[in-house]
Amino acid sequence: APEDQRQELALRIQRIWPLLDLNRVEEARTAIAALHSTGNSEVLLQNAVLHLRQNNFAASRATAQKALEMNPADVRALELIMRCSVGDKRLQDGIEIVRRHAGQHTTTSVVQMFLGRVELHAGNVGKARAAFEAAKTAAPGTLDAVWSLIDLDIAERKLEDARRRLAPLIKGPNDIAATAKLGLIEQMAGNYKAASEHYRKVLQTNPREVAVLNNLAYILTEFLENPTEALRYAQTAKELQPESAAIDDTLGWTYYKMGLYPSAVRHLELAVKREPSAARNEHLGGPPLLFAQTS
């Protein structure tokens, strides 16, 4: 920065963040102390981060709460409070703090979104849904809450609700993301031909969308009896994400359906080794023919 700007408050405050990121603790502490008297909420937040880095959870939580009182919409303070609660094994206390704060700021969308994510992570699906609905009501023009509600609908297999929420997003700026979600919904509903059409549409615009490549390859192999076409999608997904167990499982199963058993075993074994599951073990076990061809 030019010499005449180096003492500006905003610049001095922002300079502390890279000091913290670089773990230059003493420099950060000195800079924070020099600005403490300003009462700036950002400085309080930085001090809370510094306390957290030193595992002083009580001091970090108290400082973050002061920052939150000054700037109630700053969910970074809520994030720090939750991290402190995890650190000192008082998770439920942290959740209660977030709930109380959200209850006092029902019209602040970002706070309601944060509450929704906390509740979802804690397994409280109903409370998460209520928070996301509150976030949508508080900020009707933003889509974060809508996407979260769509994901909840899909997770709970409320597929008609998910379709209804997606309908306004088709043929707009979010068309590709909405089409990918619609493909997943149709796949879950067992409408595999429709799902494949949605996935192909996504790949026309974004041919490197790994999850879509993998899903399309799987339904082509397993349900539409077209492993030859599936192979190129599965191979592309593998190139883009070589360490994925899900992709190795799809690729291995595709090779199996094509009768290429040695290649099938190699990828199915990788999938089980990386992330074992009942379905992957079943694919690897397979009919006796699989092992007869690889002996």
Side-chain angles (χ1 to χ4, degrees):
E3 187 66 35
D4 62 346
Q5 295 178 17
R6 291 184 182 180
Q7 294 308 309
E8 289 184 3
L9 180 60
L11 183 62
R12 292 173 67 192
I13 290 172
Q14 289 307 312
R15 185 174 180 272
I16 294 170
W17 288 119
L19 292 176
L20 290 168
D21 288 339
L22 293 168
N23 205 31
R24 288 160 60 172
V25 174
E26 290 307 317
E27 288 179 78
R29 183 182 289 111
T30 300
I32 289 169
L35 297 174
H36 184 72
S37 61
T38 64
N40 187 282
S41 65
E42 192 84 355
V43 177
L44 282 172
L45 202 65
Q46 291 166 335
N47 202 19
V49 171
L50 188 59
H51 287 312
L52 182 63
R53 294 277 177 86
Q54 299 167 322
N55 292 328
N56 189 344
F57 302 120
S60 180
R61 183 188 295 105
T63 308
Q65 285 181 299
K66 288 180 183 177
L68 191 61
E69 289 168 8
M70 295 180 66
N71 187 359
D74 194 342
V75 295
R76 295 175 300 168
L78 288 173
E79 173 69 27
L80 279 169
I81 289 167
M82 287 302 301
R83 288 175 65 184
C84 290
S85 300
V86 171
D88 61 6
K89 298 179 173 56
R90 294 171 57 188
L91 177 60
Q92 194 58 39
D93 289 351
I95 293 173
E96 289 302 327
I97 290 171
V98 174
R99 285 173 178 166
R100 283 198 301 272
H101 185 73
Q104 295 164 0
H105 300 278
T106 56
T107 60
T108 306
S109 181
V110 290
V111 171
Q112 296 302 318
M113 284 296 300
F114 188 87
L115 173 63
R117 294 183 185 113
V118 167
E119 296 288 12
L120 191 58
H121 191 265
N124 304 319
V125 175
K127 291 181 178 179
R129 183 179 289 279
F132 292 142
E133 290 284 8
K136 182 165 72 75
T137 300
T142 60
L143 292 178
D144 285 353
V146 175
W147 286 117
S148 295
L149 287 165
I150 289 168
D151 287 338
L152 264 184
D153 289 337
I154 292 172
E156 294 186 283
R157 301 192 72 87
K158 296 179 178 179
L159 303 185
E160 282 305 316
D161 289 344
R163 286 190 185 97
R164 174 178 52 80
R165 294 186 201 276
L166 279 168
L169 305 179
I170 299 292
K171 298 184 188 277
N174 296 282
D175 177 47
I176 298 304
T179 301
K181 292 286 186 188
L182 198 53
L184 179 58
I185 290 167
E186 298 303 345
Q187 180 177 345
M188 292 178 69
N191 302 322
Y192 301 115
K193 189 172 186 302
S196 70
E197 290 169 358
H198 292 309
Y199 288 148
R200 285 191 179 95
K201 180 180 176 184
V202 172
L203 294 175
Q204 286 173 3
T205 301
N206 187 359
R208 297 170 64 85
E209 187 63 48
V210 174
V212 173
L213 285 163
N214 188 59
N215 286 352
L216 178 56
Y218 185 74
I219 63 176
L220 284 169
T221 292
E222 183 72 353
F223 304 109
L224 299 180
E225 299 181 358
N226 194 348
T228 303
E229 183 188 1
L231 183 61
R232 64 187 177 95
Y233 296 118
Q235 287 175 330
T236 302
K238 174 71 174 174
E239 290 169 6
L240 294 170
Q241 205 169 97
E243 303 300 318
S244 168
I247 291 169
D248 271 311
D249 182 62
T250 298
L251 185 55
W253 196 237
T254 301
Y255 279 130
Y256 171 74
K257 291 286 190 175
M258 295 176 69
L260 302 172
Y261 302 120
S263 296
V265 170
R266 183 170 68 254
H267 289 285
L268 292 172
E269 283 181 339
L270 273 174
V272 170
K273 181 179 179 181
R274 285 177 175 144
E275 289 180 24
S277 71
R280 289 169 192 160
N281 277 305
E282 183 179 351
H283 283 168
L284 180 59
L289 177 63
L290 181 58
F291 293 98
Q293 293 294 326
T294 58
S295 58

